[in-house]
Amino acid sequence: MSRKFFNFSDTDEGNKKTKSYRHIIVVVLVLCISFVIGLLIGHFGIEKDSNSSKEGTHSGDGVFLPGVPEAIVRDADPTVSDWILKELNAERIRENLRNLVSSPHVAGTARDFEQANDIRKFWLDVGLDVAETTPYDILLSYPDDVKPNLLKVLNSTSEIVLQSPDNELNLTSEEKPWDFPFPYLGYSGNGTVQGRIVYVNYARTEDFDYLEANKVDVSRCIVLARYGKGGRSGKVKRAEDRGAIGVILYSDPADYIAPWVSDDYYPDSVWIPPTATSRGSIFRGTGDPLTPGYPAIASAYRYDETDEESQLPMIPAMPIGFQFAEKLSRYSRWGRLYDMMMGGEDAPSGWTGRLLNQTSYKIGPGFNDSSLMLELSVHTRNERRISYNAFGMIRGEVEPDRYVMLGNHRDSWVLGAIDPSSGTATMMELSRVLGQLVKEGKWRPRRSIIFCSWGAEEFGLIGSTEWIEENSNVLDFRSVAYINMDIAVTGNYSIRGLGSPPVFSAMYRAAQKVPNPNTSDTEHPTVYDTWKARRTLNNPEDGSSLNIPKISSPGAGSDYGTFQIRAGIPCADFRYDQDYAGEGILFYPLYHTSYETFYAVDELIDPGFVLHSTIGKMSGELLRDLADSKIIPFNMSDYGLFLEHYTYAMEKNASQEIIDYNINITELHRVIDLYKEEAVNFHKIANNVNTNNPVDVRRINDQMIQLERTFLDPASLPGRTQLYRHLIHSTPQNSAIPEASFPGMQDAIYKLRQEPDNPDFIRELQHHFSVLVFTIQAAAYSLKDSTEFFRNTM
Amino acid sequence: MSRKFFNFSDTDEGNKKTKSYRHIIVVVLVLCISFVIGLLIGHFGIEKDSNSSKEGTHSGDGVFLPGVPEAIVRDADPTVSDWILKELNAERIRENLRNLVSSPHVAGTARDFEQANDIRKFWLDVGLDVAETTPYDILLSYPDDVKPNLLKVLNSTSEIVLQSPDNELNLTSEEKPWDFPFPYLGYSGNGTVQGRIVYVNYARTEDFDYLEANKVDVSRCIVLARYGKGGRSGKVKRAEDRGAIGVILYSDPADYIAPWVSDDYYPDSVWIPPTATSRGSIFRGTGDPLTPGYPAIASAYRYDETDEESQLPMIPAMPIGFQFAEKLSRYSRWGRLYDMMMGGEDAPSGWTGRLLNQTSYKIGPGFNDSSLMLELSVHTRNERRISYNAFGMIRGEVEPDRYVMLGNHRDSWVLGAIDPSSGTATMMELSRVLGQLVKEGKWRPRRSIIFCSWGAEEFGLIGSTEWIEENSNVLDFRSVAYINMDIAVTGNYSIRGLGSPPVFSAMYRAAQKVPNPNTSDTEHPTVYDTWKARRTLNNPEDGSSLNIPKISSPGAGSDYGTFQIRAGIPCADFRYDQDYAGEGILFYPLYHTSYETFYAVDELIDPGFVLHSTIGKMSGELLRDLADSKIIPFNMSDYGLFLEHYTYAMEKNASQEIIDYNINITELHRVIDLYKEEAVNFHKIANNVNTNNPVDVRRINDQMIQLERTFLDPASLPGRTQLYRHLIHSTPQNSAIPEASFPGMQDAIYKLRQEPDNPDFIRELQHHFSVLVFTIQAAAYSLKDSTEFFRNTM
């Protein structure tokens, strides 16, 4: 069975032909035969001496695997990068977008269902191997078809003196307010309440604390809060907790129109017009509210909407445009001009926005004319509906059980040309480009690629969360990474990158391969160059530039939240966006309004769709690299840097608490140093692995894809019903200490700043710190060689 | 780069030599050269046409992997089975045991530390690749060195009228009560309490319920409870919850001496002598009490002992022998004979044991002479100590990152010749036998083998739990199975098998390879035959024999509890034991007493150690099979049968609750049928896989080892501080419905039987049921092909 190399005695053929020298042709023939026989024996006949391998030595000859395709040892085909760059077509993205945003496609509606099916069919058409839609039975929320949500000012005889508009104004041919759903906040309580108005600024904890300190009681009042500096659902929750009976949210011009803009707004520019009303969900959880932690399948146990587990708001709430907010504070009635119609004290300076260029805002409670009363009527209803995810898959050639996913949600609040369809249009084009290679037999990635179109993200990342909850075990073991493509483009200023540290370097490499869409900027030939120039990562220890582009931790703002935080799957997300900081605004102004139109994207944001195709190319190149490279292009060392940055931020922003509560920061530094050391060792071993050995390759890759899961902790955050938390990437419930620090530490420190002596909070801080330290140590040990991990000592 | 097969134009060498025909020697030489060149090109130069493999077709030719050992495709070496059977030496096990039990080796003591090091050195000596000890800083509990725990009966002038002995009697040369730790219950509260005595039978919930119904108040009393029918810690907890101030536990002859035995006890036989006192832990949790859920490393946050999270008992408790229990109920004082010294009503008939052949027991409270008072003085103290695990590893040749583990705890309560050293002695011999093959270069398993010697199991599976908590992520992804070897032999009646369904068939196969140690029983040539004959598995649906041996679900009775329940790692455990049921007793009588001596094992239980070596051979063969077989010998289908059995049991024992609380049992059957179908499909695919393809082999194996993890739920059981629960194998908190049903359902049904209308309990039942149904469905889907899993629909 086993033959020694060069052992001719085993091969009779070597001696057989010595008699044939009669004729040159015969000689040539025999030479050829001899060569061919040698060739055949060399190719098929020679196996490694099995005795030597029994001793575990790699004797250097090798093994022949009958019936196994060469793909098992082949590395990625580099020409596919060029194909993506060449083929990804801006005009097709534009056409995809035009089709997607022809009408509203709110989650759970007929149009949404239709789009799920359209995308499924599209994926089959463009050549993916499998395409499916999967349903979940979830709680959604809709405005009434007939009765708009309304805000009224009533006088003492209940006459209406002021009433909010039913819907946003029609400003281009695309907005059809007469056909569009009334503005609403998803999962709002419904009914009609009357009360005095109180202005609560951003409705943050510190805002309510200010009111309390100034003896302004919001209980039994309707609060008016501006959008921004924190999530919608938290604003409503805090109002509810303090006894408010209703909430009105509006977008203040100070937060969504740059200071130098006067009347230059949509459709002339991207700035919000006066009736622009931003919708959104005010559910506090993630996933279907009735089935927290588990998939919303038919057999699921469903909590009642009023159960605490559902995390639903109880009081009515609605959004308004800033025009109506202006009317509330200053309007003309029966010929008399009421400046500062709202009563009470002046708000502090930080509370003043730019409503009609007022120099100060009033807090209330109530109006100057105390006979006037505010009435809020909300007709929004919760309803169980079927919501679909759609999937399209390319089966991996060598490792079909390793998944690299790329997805976006499909549902919008109205037309959703930016959120989410800019991403969907781009994802579709990318799937077409890759599908074509597969269809034509030119390429098949080493690992499986799954394209995902999520349902009901807007309501609380529901489609992706239910899917992860249903398939958590399978995804836990098989997932390599998830690339998100939600809002692809909001402006042409710079890339904004979100990601998990293992993917950073692959994200950079992808950006280095894609040309700068601004071709006139010859100093910055690639997207990487312009990204680095515009958004540089600084060392938080000393503020010095690290000379690489900034990538932030993914929060829970899109479906990556579920992947990163619940499932511990490394994520990446690219976007081309505006320079919000430079423009002095909080986010892209048309966000979640009816004015997210094809027109806005095509004319105002990305004429020619070159930014869209840039995002498509970057995401596509990253996808290809992760799916096709024999050794997954993860860098384990970047987590070390990331953890260090978080530690510096904590040391800077919570220095007093570190002393007061005996937080052993030295121990944290020790385990981070250990992590860094093990990461370096790991890559040394990985670089020296025999890449012809598919099991060794898989072992190295397994260690890399499993690292992120180490940071998952099965104990959910206090007061949340989800299972698991991510020790590094969970969104803190409160932002007591600035960005870039450990979420569990932020939460505990925040609580201690309210109540410095509360023993429960001290325990929470100290316990969480010890879990954090241990987890980083466990991550370090997970990178050790397989025979070393259990050497762990204290 | 890629050459077409037979494309000579690529190989100049093929044409170069055509001119040399002058001389036969030259011709021969040239032929040889030509052949060699062909050989070399064939071997190294020809790669498979990459175009054909790009299309994902397996063209049937194959691939050559330079530098890769043949072991990558080799299957298990079957001769190793014979080696184990031949080499495993009973006399060596005997010598191992003799050395291990020369003195007490309680966890955390010097002797325990010494044994950890001895075992580590032993493993290096016998040829394992790596051996280590790993420390944890945990809370343990010890009796005082000088002051024994005592029970006294005092008269009204506080004179001692009766006092318990300091320790058990010296009956052979091995018991040295003057040197041995005083009998105690681990983690008992300490101090001295005085109170009236109440007999509470087994201190089960129903026992306390009976007392309550009969107006016997145990509050401020010291309760006397017999061992058995439930764990020690639960007895103390229930007493504490009802206000008792102390607990005495004793072993009633009715439960630990067969009815036909008169005065024939240890050292004449295995039955308990009158002073035999069974020790044990009364901590309710698993793992270090101060660091629940997380490893007890230096940086760990430690709860206080009085914190609820620690789950420690608060009241003093101690064990006594039945002789002193007899004295308490009937003894002579100043010449007067007090029959039924205890006062109060007669206990119900089920409460009567066999203390001095009394026909009925009294409940109390108090003695007949009400001036007499019981005093309990416990000097046991909790103490933080370092406890060590020891590990010895054989590095897997092909998949070093796949772990098959075999372990036992090392710590005993006294000498521990049965528990645990019978297992340790056998494990050591097995490691010697396998180590020798490795050392001599004759064999190296495909996967890594880890031998484990756990610390502090007796105190609450602490060593294994801390290790799993510390390495959970690594073990989650890499573990194949854990084989436990605690108490190896208690009698010669039959094998008792515990295991997780995927391992059942491999357990059976191992038993089929090992000869029946009773060589005179020619009708049953193998262990399998005798096991099947003595303990047959019946179909719970109709009671018919399934003609296979019974294997039970592992509970939390040894370190497998942590592996199975906390980590979802399939477990197996073999033991040769007594026929408790036939003998009318509850467990092996000498359990946790000083009389677990070498003498007891060598003379009474297993003279010649043939039963020990049988257990060693079965465990060793199972270990070999799991570690060395190319395709892991798991059977996915057996879970289907197992789940069906549980369902039948539930239908039978909770039929009313199923109706009353709308438990959709049809849905449960549906998902179990689905599971069975997917398991059959899976094995069809697995049987057809090209086993020359190491990645395909690994993919199939990965699916199998990950199945068990699907049954883990991150939500811990209500009221417990551990993380995770296992939906099938967790130990129910209460045994409301008989053995063999889902633990979470049992717990919820139990509660509902106490309070049928409690909405929280109804919710717990329904929610748990839905999680169970979903989880079985997820397990089914995890067995699908990699491109199919996301087709899941409702």
Side-chain angles (χ1 to χ4, degrees), chain A residues 53 132 397 403 786 791, chain B residues 53 63 132 397 403 786 791:
Chain A
S53 73
E132 293 283 336
E397 179 162 17
Y403 305 138
S786 312
R791 290 182 194 243
Chain B
S53 72
V63 63
E132 292 284 336
E397 179 162 19
Y403 304 138
S786 314
R791 291 182 193 243

Side-chain angles (χ1 to χ4, degrees), chain B residues 406-468:
Chain B
L406 185 147
N408 182 25
H409 70 99
R410 194 180 55 250
D411 64 313
S412 61
W413 284 112
V414 195
L415 297 172
I418 303 164
D419 180 3
S421 303
S422 62
T424 308
T426 312
M427 171 174 74
M428 286 170 74
E429 172 59 2
L430 177 62
S431 63
R432 186 196 65 81
V433 169
L434 296 182
Q436 191 174 333
L437 290 177
V438 173
K439 193 155 61 169
E440 294 175 2
K442 289 179 179 156
W443 179 69
R444 180 170 287 284
R446 184 180 183 88
R447 302 179 188 87
S448 293
I449 289 175
I450 308 179
F451 290 101
C452 322
S453 172
W454 307 117
E457 185 262 9
E458 293 294 1
F459 288 80
L461 318 183
I462 298 182
S464 56
T465 301
E466 297 310 305
W467 189 68
I468 282 179

Side-chain angles (χ1 to χ4, degrees), chain A residues 494-536:
Chain A
S494 171
I495 291 293
R496 181 229 48 178
L498 303 181
S500 175
V503 199
F504 285 180
S505 55
M507 290 173 76
Y508 293 146
R509 253 195 322 279
Q512 280 161 344
K513 285 201 179 168
V514 179
N516 184 352
N518 180 2
T519 47
S520 63
D521 178 8
T522 51
E523 266 182 56
H524 301 105
T526 72
V527 183
Y528 180 84
D529 302 319
T530 157
W531 181 13
K532 187 175 77 175
R534 293 264 161 107
R535 293 202 172 127
T536 311

Side-chain angles (χ1 to χ4, degrees), chain A residues 8 18 30-31 34-36 38-39 41-43 48 50 53-56 58 60-70 72-74 77 130 132 134-135 137 294-299 301 303 307 309 386 391 393 395 397-403 441-442 444 467 469-471 473-474 476-478 667 690 692-695 698-699 702-703 706 709-710 713-714 723-724 763 766-767 770-771 773-774 777 782 785-787 789-792 794, chain B residues 8 28 30-31 34-39 41-43 46 48 50 53-56 58 60-70 72-74 130 132 134-135 137 294-301 303 307 309 386 391 393 395 397-403 441 467 469-471 473-474 476-478 667 690 692-695 698-699 702-703 706 709-710 713-714 723-724 763 766-767 770-771 773-774 777 782 785-787 789-792 794:
Chain A
F8 286 91
T18 49
V30 165
L31 275 168
S34 176
F35 175 80
V36 167
L39 200 79
I41 290 171
H43 192 63
K48 199 181 155 301
S50 61
S53 73
K54 268 193 180 156
E55 289 159 44
H58 290 220
D61 34 3
V63 63
F64 177 72
L65 306 181
V68 173
E70 182 264 347
I72 201 170
V73 287
R74 196 176 52 212
D77 180 347
V130 182
E132 293 283 336
T134 66
D137 173 351
Y294 299 94
I297 57 179
S299 60
Y301 177 85
Y303 289 96
D307 285 342
E309 285 84 353
I386 304 295
F391 298 97
M393 188 177 200
R395 183 182 171 91
E397 179 162 17
V398 177
E399 303 185 82
D401 61 338
R402 289 293 175 268
Y403 305 138
K442 287 179 180 156
R444 181 169 286 283
W467 189 68
E469 287 172 348
E470 185 168 15
N471 298 291
N473 190 58
V474 159
D476 190 25
F477 286 100
R478 300 184 197 164
E667 185 65 9
N690 178 0
N692 289 319
N693 185 330
V695 179
R698 176 117 161 173
R699 175 166 54 80
D702 277 357
Q703 270 182 288
Q706 288 151 12
R709 258 74 102 198
T710 315
D713 188 62
L723 305 172
Y724 296 100
R763 171 196 280 199
Q766 292 178 342
H767 187 272
S770 91
V771 172
V773 165
F774 146 65
Q777 180 169 305
S782 80
D785 178 74
S786 312
T787 52
F789 82 97
F790 66 91
R791 290 182 194 243
N792 303 5
M794 287 198 298
Chain B
F8 287 91
V28 171
V30 166
L31 275 165
S34 176
F35 173 79
V36 168
I37 289 167
L39 199 80
I41 290 170
H43 192 63
I46 297 181
K48 203 180 151 299
S50 59
S53 72
K54 267 190 183 161
E55 289 158 46
H58 290 220
D61 35 1
V63 63
F64 177 74
L65 306 181
V68 174
E70 182 263 347
I72 200 169
V73 287
R74 196 175 50 210
V130 182
E132 292 284 336
T134 67
D137 173 352
Y294 299 93
I297 56 179
S299 61
Y301 177 85
Y303 289 97
D307 286 343
E309 285 84 353
I386 303 297
F391 299 98
M393 188 178 200
R395 184 182 171 92
E397 179 162 19
V398 178
E399 303 185 82
D401 61 338
R402 289 293 175 267
Y403 304 138
W467 189 68
E469 286 172 349
E470 184 167 19
N471 298 291
N473 190 59
V474 159
D476 192 25
F477 286 101
R478 300 186 198 165
E667 185 66 7
N690 178 0
N692 289 317
N693 185 329
V695 178
R698 176 116 162 174
R699 175 166 54 80
D702 277 358
Q703 270 183 287
Q706 288 149 11
R709 259 73 102 195
T710 316
D713 189 61
L723 305 173
Y724 296 101
R763 171 196 279 197
Q766 293 178 341
H767 187 272
S770 91
V771 172
V773 165
F774 146 66
Q777 180 168 305
S782 80
D785 178 76
S786 314
T787 52
F789 82 98
F790 66 92
R791 291 182 193 243
N792 304 4
M794 286 197 297

